[in-house]
Amino acid sequence: MLIDIKNLYKIYNEGHESEVRALDGVSLQIDRGEFVAIIGQSGSGKSTLMNILGCLDIPTYGDYHLDGTDVTELSDRQLAHIRNKQIGFIFQGYNLIPALSARENVELPLIYQGVGMGQRAERAMESLERVGMAERADHKPSEMSGGQQQRVAIARAIAARPPIIMADEPTGALDSKTGRQVLEILHSLHEDGSTIILITHDNGIAATADRIVRLSDGHIIADGSREEVGL
Ligand SMILES: Nc1ncnc2c1ncn2[C@@H]1O[C@H](COP(=O)(O)OP(=O)(O)O)[C@@H](O)[C@H]1O
Ligand SMILES: [Mg+2]
């Protein structure tokens, strides 16, 4: 089991009037090599769940084992280490650094991993090629379209070759045609063996996943194939 969470809670302002149970007793198992879409209305807890799955945040209560490691027991430094090794992140807003070229943006996670300069450049170019952006390697984000920026962000996510890709509304800011191209890249990474966790509020995009998990008010209310969840 790659991801194993049991009875997970994320409670903001616990005990106060403003208490929010963003995750209210969630259990979820994901195997290596799955393509899982997480859907649900705005505020249902999707991003909170991804932030915890991605070791960017910790639960208030509950168990989370990632690749056999109990991550609720780890220090911030250990969490950062596991995150860098295991997970590539893609966000709706691309989160590229404006002052850096595409290649430099893709090299960043490799710098954190201590990869030497020559190998860094090589791997960054490989990753840019993988998403069809090699010829834009020297362009800054402001010189690229939204879809191109998201492809560079995907290249950055895969540069360190993490086994898991987590994408939070990666097509949310794109028109449907460009969004489909980004989705196709995620599917091709899946075919090459990556485990993909894709958050989306777009049912058409979610319907391309092998497995769909539907959240509502911090609960999983459906989990299964497209037919099983009624998409
Ligand atoms: N830092 C926070 N402090 C208080 N409430 C939060 C915080 N982050 C998220 N929430 C609340 O938790 C719930 C789930 O949010 P979120 O996971 O962002 O939902 P989604 O991604 O599905 O739109 C929402 O009610 C949101 O307002
Ligand atoms: Mg969200």
Side-chain angles (χ1 to χ4, degrees):
M1 193 67 59
L2 183 58
I3 282 173
D4 188 8
I5 69 174
K6 285 204 187 86
N7 221 9
L8 201 79
Y9 291 82
K10 182 72 186 185
I11 305 173
Y12 294 107
N13 308 323
E14 190 176 16
H16 294 85
E17 220 173 298
S18 55
E19 176 175 298
V20 177
R21 292 175 165 250
L23 297 175
D24 196 13
V26 167
S27 298
L28 178 67
Q29 282 81 40
I30 297 175
D31 270 323
R32 208 172 276 286
E34 284 198 82
F35 191 125
V36 182
I38 296 176
I39 62 172
Q41 299 198 333
S42 178
S44 58
K46 303 182 298 296
S47 294
T48 303
L49 179 59
M50 188 183 107
N51 289 341
I52 293 174
L53 290 179
C55 303
L56 295 164
D57 198 0
I58 51 167
T60 312
Y61 309 109
D63 279 347
Y64 177 18
H65 284 76
L66 173 58
D67 202 12
T69 302
D70 180 355
V71 297
T72 58
E73 299 281 301
L74 301 182
S75 67
D76 285 353
R77 202 160 155 269
Q78 290 170 316
L79 271 182
H81 178 76
I82 213 168
R83 191 164 65 222
N84 290 337
K85 221 173 89 185
Q86 295 276 0
I87 306 161
F89 291 97
I90 304 164
F91 299 98
Q92 174 169 348
Y94 326 128
N95 297 12
L96 299 174
I97 296 182
L100 300 182
S101 69
R103 186 172 55 74
E104 290 165 337
N105 267 286
V106 175
E107 281 187 26
L108 270 187
L110 301 175
I111 294 177
Y112 299 137
Q113 294 213 348
V115 178
M117 206 161 66
Q119 215 193 350
R120 226 154 58 206
E122 201 173 297
R123 285 230 220 140
M125 286 312 294
E126 264 173 40
S127 301
L128 285 167
E129 252 157 49
R130 187 77 177 71
V131 299
M133 287 297 291
E135 70 284 7
R136 303 289 166 113
D138 295 322
H139 289 231
K140 299 247 167 77
S142 62
E143 300 160 345
M144 294 182 270
S145 70
Q148 289 173 335
Q149 289 183 64
Q150 193 59 299
R151 279 148 68 190
V152 172
I154 295 174
R156 179 184 55 189
I158 63 175
R161 299 176 187 154
I164 310 169
I165 305 288
M166 294 191 186
D168 191 352
E169 302 277 3
T171 62
L174 303 173
D175 63 68
S176 60
K177 181 161 169 269
T178 312
R180 283 280 158 176
Q181 290 167 355
V182 163
L183 182 65
E184 271 168 34
I185 295 173
L186 293 177
H187 277 287
S188 90
L189 294 171
H190 177 236
E191 273 158 32
D192 289 352
S194 295
T195 304
I196 311 281
I197 300 174
L198 165 65
I199 290 178
T200 181
H201 63 255
D202 182 324
N203 287 345
I205 284 186
T208 69
D210 302 331
R211 176 179 170 196
I212 298 153
V213 172
R214 189 193 294 276
L215 276 178
S216 174
D217 283 333
H219 300 276
I220 292 179
I221 57 164
D223 181 352
S225 68
R226 183 183 157 179
E227 292 76 21
E228 283 165 342
V229 304
L231 271 195

